[in-house]
Amino acid sequence: MFNLIRRDVILQKRQLLLFIPFILFFIIMDSHPALTFLIASIFIPFNTYAYDEKVETNILLNSLPYTRTEIIASRYLGAIVYMVLAIGVTSLALFAFNKPFTIIDIAIGSSLFLLFAAFTFPLFHIFKPGYISTVVMISFLLLAAIGPAIVLFLAEHLTAITDFINGLSVPVLYIGGTLVIMLLYFISWGTTTVIYQRKAF
Amino acid sequence: MGNVVELKNVTKNFEEFSVKNINLQVKQGFVTGFIGENGAGKSTTIKMMMNLLKPDAGEVKLFGLDYKKHEKTIKERIGFVYDGNIFFEGLNLKDIKRIVAPAYKQWDDTLFYQYVEQFKLPLNKAIKTFSKGMQMKASLAIALSHHAELIIMDEPTAGLDPIFRRELLDLLQELMIEGNRTIFFSTHITTDLDRIADYIAFMQNGELVFNQSIHDLAENYALVKGGMDLLDRDTEKDFVHIHRSSTGFEALTDNIKEVKNTFGNTVIIERPSLEDIMYYLKGGIHHV
Amino acid sequence: MQIIISNSSKEPIYEQITNQIKSSILAGELQEGSAIPSMRNLAKDLQISVITTKRAYEELEKAGFIYSIVGKGSFVAEQNLEVIREKKLKVIEEQLSAVITNSREIGLSLDELKQLLKILYEE
């Protein structure tokens, strides 16, 4: 299973060279740190899907001694692993450029990423190959276009809501948010596994 | 010796095509050639053997194990080669090996590099720059480097030049010296099989027509040639299919004894090639 | 050991192998107890399928020309009575062929020949 996660790095050696300038671009453009974290997290897992949409890739993976459950699990666990790594690298970059960011930015960025992943991962296995990269491109462009606005909006209103709920209990909010996201992520994981089990290659 | 692959009443339906009620056993230690026209259902059957497709009904067992519980154990023991490249095109062979090797407990790096050398494969060039023959060799090198007991190949010789096809057959024959290895390989080029196949499984229109040893085939089927005057409603019953022309008839029989009884020395009886059998059985077995 | 396979011959390949090994044994080229190639090696060398050499070896074993030891290979068997009998039979066959050729040359029919043989045999 670890091999399946590690595979992404081997596959994306070249794309990884783009990773740093890509993040730097967002940093220099003064994007909201939460958006930068989100974009950075998306990079590897969604690149992987660009490969995995190919029938050949699925034939290969499924002919090797892996179970379908493992293949999907590697996607979901891999997404978290690469998210953590991406956040680490991005934090260092932000730090190097002297851009301020808070733990809340990381929380928002990673929450959005996990939500995005939870909603899109099952879609990758529903859409026919060929459409998937289009789906990713459109979602990505949409995100890049209106993402900052949404994040800002969310950030403002989150603080408003936070303020509102603040009176009640901060820990409850965070724990609740984490639980909801985790729940969605696991539901998505389960759904994708079921969809993938039934697929024919 | 036992069966490495066992399909029992396997059925798979698609919208416009189905594979019906397949009962197929692949014998351990032998080469089974899997023949049939394009679209006869060979690839579908192979995909079910590899668990890439799940049958709608019936049972698929490899090494006596089923995929529900033993998927990893089974695939650990299979080496696969498909028609066309399934490896990431942009990667070089070394990177592909890095991805594939850790999947197998029994991966043998020394053996892999031995094949790379034998096949003269470049390690640092992207797979997409490889010729069809080189891609095939690369797939083979990967398939043979984890001591697989069963080698499953789907149309490995399609699109290859005769010289390379010959080399491939030599290599497969070398692999068979080790007694417990089994090779199952589909092809529509039947001459590939004349040399190395021990058993022939023949599919047509989604059905398995037969799975017989080449000796049984030689004993069961014969090509009969003779003058048109010999044919009448009764004598025609001995044949599976008859090809008539002004100079005489040529027909396939699956009952040599009866033909000898009926015609004696008036006809020429020859051993049919696999191609003859495939050609005459086109449209299924029906006595004319 | 030399074996030459003809793909155009009417004789099945396994028979070509058994016959050639038999004559090598009968001619004394293959000595009693000496090893012959494993059927898988022979298949590879002759570029034919394993099942064909397997059948050839099985027939040879049945006829007592060779024996196999699991894990060790196949060896030329002790020349038993049957082998000797087969040797003799071969000689008789050759002599009879000559008789038939001669008979045909002078237009002697099969029945006449049979009669002649009967008389000579019962003498």
Side-chain angles (χ1 to χ4, degrees), chain B residues 205-231:
Chain B
N205 299 325
E207 286 177 70
L208 185 72
V209 181
F210 60 71
N211 177 26
Q212 293 183 348
S213 79
I214 49 166
H215 296 299
D216 289 341
L217 268 183
E219 271 157 32
N220 291 339
Y221 289 97
L223 209 55
V224 183
K225 294 171 187 175
M228 287 297 290
D229 53 322
L230 295 170
L231 291 179

Side-chain angles (χ1 to χ4, degrees), chain B:
Chain B
M1 271 197 255
N3 297 323
V4 174
V5 180
E6 221 162 323
L7 304 191
K8 263 190 211 153
N9 302 319
V10 168
T11 296
K12 178 82 193 172
N13 295 308
F14 297 104
E15 267 171 42
E16 290 179 7
F17 172 73
S18 56
V19 164
K20 285 155 273 178
N21 216 20
I22 304 286
N23 284 294
L24 173 65
Q25 287 96 33
V26 179
K27 298 249 179 334
Q28 192 192 357
F30 292 103
V31 178
T32 298
F34 194 30
I35 60 171
E37 286 176 282
N38 288 327
K42 300 192 299 287
S43 287
T44 305
T45 308
I46 286 186
K47 281 180 176 179
M48 287 194 281
M49 282 183 192
M50 290 299 298
N51 202 30
L52 297 175
L53 270 180
K54 285 174 187 153
D56 295 334
E59 196 181 77
V60 177
K61 276 193 173 173
L62 280 93
F63 313 107
L65 306 169
D66 70 25
Y67 269 112
K68 260 196 194 110
K69 283 189 201 144
H70 305 280
E71 174 142 26
K72 292 177 81 159
T73 327
I74 294 172
K75 286 179 176 169
E76 186 77 45
R77 294 159 76 176
I78 301 178
F80 53 88
V81 173
Y82 297 110
D83 172 22
N85 176 44
I86 54 158
F87 300 113
F88 309 97
E89 289 190 323
L91 293 190
N92 61 35
L93 194 53
K94 209 171 189 169
D95 282 335
I96 287 168
K97 189 217 80 175
R98 252 187 236 154
I99 288 173
V100 173
Y104 293 105
K105 286 189 197 113
Q106 291 221 64
W107 182 267
D108 187 336
D109 239 20
T110 324
L111 194 57
F112 174 73
Y113 284 111
Q114 209 174 298
Y115 282 123
V116 165
E117 200 168 304
Q118 187 185 339
F119 299 159
K120 299 186 180 68
L121 291 167
L123 281 166
N124 297 312
K125 272 168 97 182
I127 290 284
K128 63 181 166 205
T129 66
F130 281 25
S131 68
K132 173 96 187 166
M134 268 162 69
Q135 282 185 4
M136 168 57 51
K137 285 179 180 171
S139 306
L140 260 175
I142 297 234
L144 300 178
S145 296
H146 62 278
H147 302 285
E149 291 160 56
L150 169 64
I151 294 160
I152 293 183
M153 298 188 287
D154 191 7
E155 297 279 356
T157 53
L160 297 181
D161 62 72
I163 294 170
F164 179 67
R165 290 224 309 271
R166 193 89 191 235
E167 277 174 35
L168 175 70
L169 297 183
D170 285 338
L171 178 76
L172 295 182
Q173 226 155 12
E174 223 161 273
L175 292 175
M176 291 310 288
I177 291 180
E178 216 172 286
N180 52 5
R181 214 177 237 137
T182 308
I183 294 178
F184 184 80
F185 103 83
S186 81
T187 179
H188 61 272
I189 306 166
T190 53
T191 45
D192 287 342
L193 298 171
D194 288 338
R195 230 181 79 188
I196 61 160
D198 299 303
Y199 290 88
I200 304 286
F202 175 37
M203 273 204 91
Q204 193 166 56
N205 299 325
E207 286 177 70
L208 185 72
V209 181
F210 60 71
N211 177 26
Q212 293 183 348
S213 79
I214 49 166
H215 296 299
D216 289 341
L217 268 183
E219 271 157 32
N220 291 339
Y221 289 97
L223 209 55
V224 183
K225 294 171 187 175
M228 287 297 290
D229 53 322
L230 295 170
L231 291 179
D232 61 38
R233 213 186 310 138
D234 279 352
T235 57
E236 281 176 7
K237 281 191 186 124
D238 296 341
F239 300 115
V240 177
H241 191 90
I242 303 174
H243 176 78
R244 297 156 209 266
S245 76
S246 55
T247 51
F249 77 91
E250 191 179 292
L252 185 77
T253 180
D254 55 0
N255 195 345
I256 300 176
K257 219 174 128 193
E258 198 52 46
V259 167
K260 279 183 180 159
N261 269 343
T262 317
F263 297 101
N265 287 327
T266 56
V267 291
I268 295 174
I269 298 177
E270 283 180 348
R271 218 178 317 157
S273 68
L274 286 172
E275 209 176 285
D276 292 326
I277 295 177
M278 254 173 88
Y279 172 74
Y280 283 109
L281 286 180
K282 207 171 174 177
I285 292 185
H286 56 89
H287 287 261
V288 267

Side-chain angles (χ1 to χ4, degrees), chain A residues 3 6-7 10-11 13-14 51-52 54 56-68 70 196-201, chain B residues 12 47 50-54 71-72 75-76 78 80 82 85-92 95-96 98-100 102-104:
Chain A
N3 301 320
R6 205 186 60 141
R7 164 189 84 113
I10 301 175
L11 259 177
K13 266 192 302 196
R14 247 169 262 148
Y51 276 98
D52 282 2
K54 293 202 179 93
E56 291 81 13
T57 306
N58 284 300
I59 290 180
L60 171 63
L61 292 182
N62 280 286
S63 299
L64 293 173
Y66 295 121
T67 62
R68 296 191 179 196
E70 281 178 331
Y196 198 69
Q197 291 283 5
R198 293 182 183 180
K199 277 191 98 154
F201 301 110
Chain B
K12 178 82 193 172
K47 281 180 176 179
M50 290 299 298
N51 202 30
L52 297 175
L53 270 180
K54 285 174 187 153
E71 174 142 26
K72 292 177 81 159
K75 286 179 176 169
E76 186 77 45
I78 301 178
F80 53 88
Y82 297 110
N85 176 44
I86 54 158
F87 300 113
F88 309 97
E89 289 190 323
L91 293 190
N92 61 35
D95 282 335
I96 287 168
R98 252 187 236 154
I99 288 173
V100 173
Y104 293 105

Side-chain angles (χ1 to χ4, degrees), chain B residues 1 29-30 166 170 173-174 176-179 195-199 213-215 219 269 271, chain C residues 7 9-14 38 40-41 43-44 46-55:
Chain B
M1 271 197 255
F30 292 103
R166 193 89 191 235
D170 285 338
Q173 226 155 12
E174 223 161 273
M176 291 310 288
I177 291 180
E178 216 172 286
R195 230 181 79 188
I196 61 160
D198 299 303
Y199 290 88
S213 79
I214 49 166
H215 296 299
E219 271 157 32
I269 298 177
R271 218 178 317 157
Chain C
N7 282 321
S9 161
K10 268 203 160 177
E11 195 182 14
I13 295 174
Y14 76 91
S38 80
R40 285 178 184 276
N41 268 312
K44 191 202 143 236
L46 294 174
Q47 307 198 335
I48 55 174
S49 58
V50 174
I51 204 169
T52 303
T53 49
K54 185 171 177 260
R55 179 157 182 186

